[in-house]
Amino acid sequence: MALDATFYALIGLVLFFLVVAYFKVPVIMLRSLDSRADQIRDELAEAKRLREEAQHVLADYQRKRREAEDEAKDIVAAAEREAQSIKDEARRKTEEYVERRTAFSEQKIRQAEHDAIEAVRSAAVDVAVEASRIVLEKKATAAVQSKLFSKSIDAVKSKLN
């Protein structure tokens, strides 16, 4: 049997497998691969858990956003109702103010008319009295004047008592 390079290569290969088996390299490699697989499995489980948690948080924030939008719509609707109420109240108060001012103005006009009528009557009475006095002075005799004077004094006395 000739010892050629192939024989030595075979011997080296067998020795290599024996050394690898002696130092339990396949077991170590399997353990390393198993631990790496376990680590990857744990990381995948953690990623799945984090993804589910993120989905729950997202759903919670979407629900809160919808609630906030609904609340904002309610606030806007309430503000619009309040603004309409204030507008209606202002319109009503303005109409009442105009009515009061109109009534007050009409009352002042009636009072002014009444005062004017009284002033005209008073002036007419004064003119009539003055005209009567002038007529009586010119046409009445001393006896008639004396008699009128006596009647006037009697009338004043009766009204004072």
Side-chain angles (χ1 to χ4, degrees):
M1 156 164 163
L3 297 175
D4 60 350
T6 308
F7 176 74
Y8 287 115
L10 179 65
I11 297 271
L13 183 62
V14 170
L15 282 177
F16 174 74
F17 282 132
L18 287 175
V19 169
V20 166
Y22 177 75
F23 286 111
K24 300 180 185 176
V25 171
V27 174
I28 293 173
M29 284 178 62
L30 284 176
R31 259 191 259 142
S32 174
L33 288 174
D34 286 342
S35 71
R36 179 72 179 139
D38 290 342
Q39 183 181 5
I40 290 171
R41 200 174 299 115
D42 291 343
E43 287 176 1
L44 286 174
E46 178 69 13
K48 184 177 179 181
R49 186 189 64 77
L50 289 175
R51 182 172 182 258
E52 289 173 357
E53 184 179 321
Q55 286 176 338
H56 289 299
V57 169
L58 176 64
D60 188 42
Y61 280 118
Q62 287 174 340
R63 180 185 52 78
K64 286 181 181 179
R65 187 203 64 193
R66 280 191 303 273
E67 289 173 357
E69 286 174 352
D70 291 343
E71 186 176 336
K73 286 177 185 175
D74 292 343
I75 290 171
V76 167
E80 287 174 350
R81 284 191 306 272
E82 187 173 340
Q84 184 64 36
S85 172
I86 290 170
K87 181 180 169 185
D88 293 342
E89 180 71 17
R91 180 178 291 122
R92 185 185 58 76
K93 284 185 178 181
T94 302
E95 289 171 356
E96 288 176 0
Y97 176 75
V98 168
E99 287 175 9
R100 281 195 313 269
R101 291 296 291 179
T102 303
F104 181 69
S105 297
E106 288 173 353
Q107 182 182 3
K108 284 181 100 177
I109 290 169
R110 282 192 301 273
Q111 183 65 38
E113 287 174 350
H114 178 40
D115 290 347
I117 290 171
E118 288 299 317
V120 168
R121 282 184 185 160
S122 176
V125 167
D126 289 344
V127 168
V129 167
E130 184 62 25
S132 301
R133 186 187 62 78
I134 291 171
V135 168
L136 285 177
E137 276 180 1
K138 289 184 180 178
K139 293 193 177 185
T141 62
V144 173
Q145 286 180 0
S146 168
K147 190 176 177 182
L148 286 174
F149 182 73
S150 296
K151 281 185 181 180
S152 296
I153 289 178
D154 290 338
V156 169
K157 283 182 184 177
S158 68
K159 289 191 180 187
L160 289 179
N161 288 333

